[in-house]
Each structure stands twice: as C-alpha cells, then as structure tokens.
Amino acid sequence: MIRTRIAAGLLAAATLTAATACSASDQPAHAKAQMTVAASTAPSETFTPLLQQPLPNLKGKTFTSAIVAFPPRASALPHRHGQAFVYAYVLEGTVRSKLDDKPVTTYHQGENWVEQPGAHHVLTENVSRTKPAKLLVVFVADTGAKLKVEDPKS
C-alpha cells in the first residue's frame, strides 16, 4: 500500500514536472485549450490538458495528462473513457467516485485510483460545498480517440 502511494506520488510529480518543463511550442494546439464540460444546473468540472504525447514503444497509443477541476458541489455526468486506461490522483480536496457496480468510494488529497478500459464512471463529484477539488488524470488511449464520452440522455 505504501509502495503504491509512493509510486502514485512519483507518477504525479513526474507528470507535473514534464508538463511544466515543456514549452508552449512543444505542446500541440489541442493540448493547450481549456475545456468546460457542460451540465444543466449544477456546477461542472473543467478539463485542462497538460501534455499529450504519442507513446513510441506502444504504436497507436497516446499518453495524455490533464487537470480536472471540480468547483464546490460540482459533479460530472456519467461517462466512459472508451478503451483508455485511466489513472486519477487527488491533488486537492475530496472526491467521491463510483465505477460500474462497485461501491461508492471517497478519495482524499494524495489518494488515487485506476479505471480499466471500458469502465462505466457513474459518479464523480466534489463532496465539499465550499472548497474546490482537483485531480491529475492520466490516460493511455488509442491515438485520436475521445477521452470522455458522456452517457446518452434518456
């Protein structure tokens, strides 16, 4: 458990360091834009790409890191990440998450989880009414694939 947290912290630090070290000219245009994900009435999350890089030793796969910020009381609509492998690390605040039919889990700053390809992310929310929450999210996905696909509206 301790080794997992140390490894997760090192991965987070390495990703942030790499993203910070890259100059603007090194990052593709689509990795620079900030995107706000719409929700009807409740506040919603923002997705800010940090680094997007094809993986030279995994043809057809791309590494993407991003900050997902949740204002107080914000939640994401149910979604999937296609066939991407996803790693999430809580940089700030507390988030509640539910994948597939697994129990709801609450994650605090410094904790992390993974999402297997094809997982259904039915709940992601900031539990605080007053403080923001931020995640570092890392995707290993098929090059060109959408990183988030919201559930169809019923």
Side-chain angles (χ1 to χ4, degrees), residues 18-126:
T20 304
C22 289
S23 70
S25 63
D26 291 337
Q27 294 185 12
H30 59 276
K32 294 179 199 172
Q34 182 176 18
M35 176 175 70
T36 301
V37 181
S40 55
T41 57
S44 133
E45 81 275 22
T46 58
F47 179 90
T48 305
L50 298 173
L51 177 70
Q52 193 165 45
Q53 178 70 46
L55 294 171
N57 58 340
L58 290 172
K59 188 172 177 70
K61 298 289 183 184
T62 296
F63 171 97
T64 302
S65 61
I67 299 294
V68 179
F70 290 85
R73 297 180 335 227
S75 62
L77 294 172
H79 61 277
R80 296 178 191 269
H81 297 289
Q83 292 305 305
F85 177 81
V86 180
Y87 168 80
Y89 180 86
V90 183
L91 294 168
E92 178 183 330
T94 302
V95 296
R96 195 176 344 219
S97 177
K98 178 173 174 39
L99 296 171
D100 296 316
D101 59 354
K102 295 185 171 102
V104 173
T105 305
T106 301
Y107 298 94
H108 303 279
Q109 182 176 357
E111 296 182 320
N112 61 87
W113 72 91
V114 296
E115 298 178 29
Q116 297 300 319
H120 188 204
H121 206 156
V122 295
L123 172 71
T124 317
E125 65 182 1
N126 179 353

